Amino acid sequence: MVKETRIVFDLGDIRHVRIICTKCQGEIARSLSQSRNMLPQRCPNCLEEWWDEASKPRVIDATVEMLKAVDRLVQSLSMDEQPVAVRFEIDGEDEK
């Protein structure tokens, strides 16, 4: 027998989005509505530069675009009647 745990949630269940610095593991936690704003240029904890005026790494652009897309989806799903609902599923098992 195999024990399986899964967690299913929708966008309404998301309280914060966390951006984590890979250098110091410091985190920025923002509500979903605030998260679509541009990421700061530096980690607020260790001041590691994440991007500058001349160079925005692809991961920064992709992260910002993902947050904007999630915000657009939240706004669209909050309209009257929708033909679909969106739910997410994550593995609830501990890492081994």
Side-chain angles (χ1 to χ4, degrees):
M1 180 186 323
V2 175
K3 179 182 174 189
E4 182 177 305
T5 303
R6 67 183 183 135
I7 300 168
V8 178
F9 63 97
D10 62 31
L11 292 171
D13 296 324
I14 299 173
R15 298 292 172 241
H16 290 91
V17 174
R18 295 181 179 273
I19 306 299
I20 303 163
C21 178
T22 55
K23 181 177 181 186
C24 73
Q25 302 303 305
E27 296 183 0
I28 298 172
R30 294 184 179 170
S31 69
L32 194 55
S33 62
Q34 293 175 321
S35 65
R36 64 188 165 109
N37 297 332
M38 180 57 71
L39 297 178
Q41 287 182 291
R42 296 180 176 277
C43 171
N45 188 48
C46 71
L47 302 178
E48 174 76 5
E49 187 175 89
W50 289 345
W51 61 277
D52 61 34
E53 296 298 326
S55 172
K56 288 186 184 163
R58 288 182 298 189
V59 69
I60 296 295
D61 281 339
T63 300
V64 170
E65 290 304 314
M66 181 270 306
L67 295 171
K68 287 179 182 178
V70 169
D71 186 59
R72 282 193 313 273
L73 183 58
V74 167
Q75 299 305 317
S76 296
L77 291 172
S78 68
M79 303 290 182
D80 294 329
E81 287 189 38
Q82 296 299 322
V84 298
V86 177
R87 298 185 86 194
F88 299 89
E89 180 177 330
I90 59 173
D91 182 0
E93 296 292 320
D94 291 336
E95 291 184 26
K96 299 186 188 220

